[in-house]
């Protein structure tokens, strides 16, 4: 039976290729552990000791002292001050001699959140903070310090996009004037510099983008005026968990709510199909963002490895595109187009995975996200200000006895079956395929084997590009 490996996009997971090494929620033994501990930073309480399947039932706030009854690998079973019983990560607690935080009665009906037109000046202290709804399930809101409105951060990718949307460009010289910390623990333990660092105090609560480099994002924590680097959606979520402020529904209702406008793009796709250099250069004209790499993607850098004779890329590409657009359009999303630029970047990364000996999102020697790698290595014109690009990766196989192209299409079907199985819980692979900002896609392979059979390193790159470069029709 063909083995297929699929690894989550955004979350950097490093596995040995073509082997499965999955964890097991609930498989570790549970021990009685009767003690009292203090919460060191805001943490969710889940009904199971598992991030993947556990439902959030409460949020513990920093400083709360709770009863612990059991423990398992990396988790404590706790009783929250609101009477909820569930599991929280053990790294969020410390020993204490303080008394238990008083249990909040649940007889009083929780006030529902309303959306006022204007924010109350009494809540101005929340500007720039990430707020957690302690009377619900820890839903997170970012309060934009400029508009004084709150924006819902439903997940990691949304949080990262939101941070980029509110980002303020800053020079390296000014960025160097604001002290940074390495992680959220260091942030919680650091002192405030707001009173004597005027630049940091003016920028507190804002997201800063390094415009003289690759648009790296930094968050200036309002409490300390120190900044922390946000490399991806997971980092943004970590900030939400560790640095968030608890807020009641009543107080949250005093802050006006808003939503980010999703820019329409379906009507702006250029259908040019020429692959000449002049057409590629035309895609840079009018682009919202042009990456600075030396390689001009779109010229046909694909495919790598021991490409078997009879492999027809156009057939494979059309098969993948048809599956993507079938899934998108039946859910009300606009269709996207195949583009040689995404084919080239995906193919090059497939080769890099082979050279690393693993299916991974990790770039070496610097651990950067996919879009940063593209910015540094390929010249591409993106439609929007900072260039949307996402990546899905996986494995697969090919076998001449089953048909070279047929076996590859079967591998891709299995890959997409896995992606779409995440719809019920809005998994990250599914989110990537359904992303609102994407207009183009390309699939790249590295063939590890011989002319008759072998394994595949598979990469899918999705981008919000300017113009369109048709896919080169090539058969090996």
């Amino acid at each position: 039976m063909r083995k297929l490996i699929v690894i989550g996009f955004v979350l950097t997971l490093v596995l040995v290729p073509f082997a499965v090494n999955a964890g097991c929620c609930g498989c570790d033994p549970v021990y009685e552990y009767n003690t009292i501990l203090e919460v060191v930073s805001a943490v969710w309480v889940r009904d199971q000791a598992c991030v993947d399947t556990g439902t959030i039932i409460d949020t513990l706030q920093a400083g709360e002292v709770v009863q612990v009854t059991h423990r398992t690998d990396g988790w404590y079973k706790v009783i929250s001050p609101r009477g909820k019983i569930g599991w929280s990560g053990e790294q969020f607690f410390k020993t204490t001699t303080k008394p238990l935080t008083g249990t909040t009665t649940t007889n009083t009906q929780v006030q529902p959140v309303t959306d006022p037109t204007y924010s109350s000046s009494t809540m101005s202290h929340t500007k720039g903070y990430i707020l957690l709804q302690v009377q619900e399930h820890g839903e997170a809101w970012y309060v934009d310090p400029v508009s004084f409105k709150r924006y819902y951060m439903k997940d990691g990718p949304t949080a990262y996009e939101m941070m980029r949307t509110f980002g303020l460009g800053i020079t390296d010289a000014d960025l160097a004037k604001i002290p940074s910390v390495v992680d959220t623990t260091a942030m919680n333990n650091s002192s405030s510099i707001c009173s004597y660092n005027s630049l940091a105090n003016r920028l507190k609560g804002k997201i800063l983008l390094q415009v003289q480099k690759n648009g790296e994002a930094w968050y200036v924590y309002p409490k300390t005026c120190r900044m922390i680097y946000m490399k991806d959606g997971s980092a943004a979520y970590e900030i939400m968990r560790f640095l968030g402020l608890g807020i009641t529904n009543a107080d949250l209702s005093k802050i006006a709510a808003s939503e980010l406008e999703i820019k329409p793009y379906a009507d702006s796709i250029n259908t040019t199909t020429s692959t000449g250099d002049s057409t590629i250069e035309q895609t840079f004209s009018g682009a919202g963002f042009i990456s600075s790499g030396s390689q001009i993607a779109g010229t046909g850098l694909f495919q790598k490895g021991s490409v078997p004779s009879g492999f027809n890329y156009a057939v494979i590409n059309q098969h993948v595109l048809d599956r993507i657009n079938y899934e998108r359009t039946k859910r009300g999303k606009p269709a996207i187009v195949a583009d040689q630029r995404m084919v080239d970047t995906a193919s090059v990364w497939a080769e890099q995975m082979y050279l690393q000996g693993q299916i991974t999102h990790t770039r070496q020697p610097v651990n950067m996200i996919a879009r940063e790698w593209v910015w540094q290595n390929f010249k591409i014109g993106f439609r929007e200000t900072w260039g949307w690009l996402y990546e899905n990766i996986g494995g697969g196989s090919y076998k001449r006895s089953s048909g070279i192209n047929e076996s590859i299409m079967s591998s891709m079907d299995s890959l997409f079956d896995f992606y779409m199985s995440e719809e019920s819980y809005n998994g990250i692979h599914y989110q990537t395929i359904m992303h609102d900002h994407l207009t183009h896609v390309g699939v790249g392979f590295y063939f590890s084997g011989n002319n008759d059979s072998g394994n595949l390193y598979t990469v899918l790159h999705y981008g919000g590009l300017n113009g369109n470069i048709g896919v080169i029709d090539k058969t090996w």
Side-chain angles (χ1 to χ4, degrees):
M1 178 182 293
R2 179 180 65 255
K3 295 183 179 178
L4 179 65
I5 304 301
V6 183
I7 301 179
F9 166 71
V10 176
L11 300 177
T12 305
L13 303 179
V14 180
L15 302 182
V16 178
F18 316 110
V20 175
N21 183 22
C24 179
C25 289
C27 294
D28 295 302
V30 176
Y31 304 98
E32 288 190 9
Y33 189 70
N34 187 20
T35 189
I36 293 175
L37 297 175
E38 181 178 351
V39 182
V40 297
S41 61
V43 59
W44 287 323
V45 180
R46 300 177 184 271
D47 63 353
Q48 301 176 44
C50 185
V51 172
D52 293 333
T53 60
T55 300
I56 299 169
I57 59 174
D58 200 356
T59 303
L60 300 179
Q61 296 303 304
E64 289 185 334
V65 179
V66 299
Q67 177 70 51
V68 177
T69 61
H70 296 79
R71 73 179 304 177
T72 187
D73 186 26
W75 296 83
Y76 288 136
K77 190 172 187 179
V78 302
I79 303 174
S80 82
R82 288 152 293 282
K84 301 290 186 179
I85 300 176
W87 297 87
S88 296
E90 64 179 12
Q91 70 268 33
F92 296 95
F93 298 87
K94 67 178 181 180
T95 57
T96 184
T97 58
K98 297 178 182 178
L100 283 171
T101 301
T103 301
T104 302
T105 61
T106 57
N107 295 330
T108 303
Q109 184 175 2
V110 175
Q111 177 181 331
V113 175
T114 59
D115 297 331
T117 304
Y118 300 100
S119 298
S120 170
S121 59
T122 61
M123 301 303 297
S124 60
H125 63 281
T126 64
K127 289 183 178 180
Y129 276 97
I130 297 162
L131 307 178
L132 303 177
Q133 284 183 257
V134 296
Q135 291 178 316
E136 301 294 338
H137 301 299
E139 292 88 342
W141 301 80
Y142 173 65
V143 183
D144 174 32
V146 177
S147 66
F148 194 12
K149 293 183 178 181
R150 56 181 164 92
Y151 293 82
Y152 178 47
M153 299 200 302
K154 66 179 180 179
D155 50 31
T158 301
Y160 194 66
E161 293 173 22
M162 191 174 293
M163 296 305 182
R164 289 290 188 174
T165 298
F166 294 118
L168 176 68
I170 189 171
T171 64
D172 289 348
D174 281 341
L175 194 72
K177 298 175 183 178
I178 306 175
S180 63
V181 296
V182 296
D183 55 32
T184 50
T185 300
M187 182 71 83
N188 278 325
N189 294 330
S190 64
S191 59
S192 173
I193 61 171
C194 300
S195 61
Y196 58 86
N197 189 318
S198 58
L199 178 63
N201 188 57
R202 190 174 77 248
L203 297 176
K204 64 184 179 182
K206 293 186 178 180
I207 310 305
L208 307 179
L209 303 180
Q210 280 186 264
V211 294
Q212 292 179 323
K213 288 193 176 179
N214 299 299
E216 292 89 341
W218 299 81
Y219 174 57
V220 184
Y221 185 37
K223 185 177 180 179
T224 64
C225 290
R226 299 176 188 269
M227 63 182 187
I228 185 169
Y229 177 51
M230 300 188 304
K231 67 177 182 179
D232 53 27
S234 297
Y237 239 50
E238 181 182 20
I239 290 172
M240 178 190 71
R241 290 172 55 189
F242 282 82
L243 303 181
L245 290 179
I247 190 169
T248 64
N249 288 359
D251 281 342
L252 191 65
S253 296
K254 298 175 183 177
I255 306 173
S258 188
E259 296 181 0
L260 294 179
E261 178 184 358
I262 302 300
K263 301 176 182 178
Y265 58 79
D267 296 334
S268 63
I269 298 177
N270 186 320
T271 56
T272 303
T273 57
S274 170
T275 57
D277 289 344
S278 60
T279 303
I280 294 175
E281 291 298 338
Q282 287 174 12
T283 67
F284 301 145
S285 176
F289 180 92
I290 301 176
S291 58
S292 59
S294 59
Q295 302 181 70
I296 300 180
T299 56
L301 301 175
F302 69 149
Q303 298 287 319
K304 306 293 183 178
S306 303
V307 184
S309 59
F311 171 62
N312 187 321
Y313 183 80
V315 170
I316 303 299
N317 171 75
Q318 190 61 51
H319 182 80
V320 171
L321 182 64
D322 288 346
R323 177 66 185 270
I324 292 173
N325 284 334
Y326 169 77
E327 303 292 359
R328 284 178 62 90
T329 56
K330 79 174 186 178
R331 292 167 176 81
K333 304 287 185 179
I336 60 178
V337 297
D339 192 282
Q340 187 63 43
R341 290 165 293 180
M342 295 291 88
V343 174
D344 288 352
T345 61
S347 300
V348 172
W349 184 244
E351 181 184 35
Q352 291 299 309
M353 292 197 305
Y354 167 77
L355 294 175
Q356 287 194 46
Q358 56 191 6
I359 298 176
T360 177
H361 296 291
T362 303
R363 270 65 181 169
Q364 299 291 350
V366 179
N367 185 11
M368 64 179 69
I369 59 176
R371 69 172 64 89
E372 292 174 338
W373 176 77
V374 169
W375 292 350
Q376 290 190 13
N377 291 281
F378 299 90
K379 189 176 181 183
I380 296 178
F382 292 90
R383 296 186 60 256
E384 300 184 63
T385 304
W386 60 282
W388 297 95
L389 185 136
Y390 287 113
E391 174 180 273
N392 278 337
I393 57 180
S397 64
Y398 64 96
K399 183 182 295 185
R400 189 169 299 279
S401 61
S402 301
I404 293 296
N405 296 308
E406 289 78 8
S407 58
I408 295 173
M409 285 189 286
S410 178
S411 283
M412 295 306 297
D413 285 340
S414 297
L415 193 67
F416 274 93
D417 287 344
F418 177 87
Y419 292 162
M420 300 312 298
S421 71
E422 297 181 350
E423 181 177 9
S424 61
Y425 58 92
N426 201 30
I428 200 66
H429 301 97
Y430 174 79
Q431 288 182 37
T432 298
I433 296 171
M434 298 298 156
H435 202 288
D436 288 305
H437 288 258
L438 305 182
T439 55
H440 298 74
V441 66
V443 58
F445 302 102
Y446 186 91
F447 293 81
S448 176
N450 55 43
N451 193 47
D452 294 319
S453 64
N455 291 317
L456 296 170
Y457 290 79
T458 304
V459 177
L460 284 140
H461 276 176
Y462 309 81
L465 306 184
N466 193 58
N468 186 57
I469 300 297
V471 175
I472 298 173
D473 187 356
K474 183 175 181 179
T475 301
W476 276 256

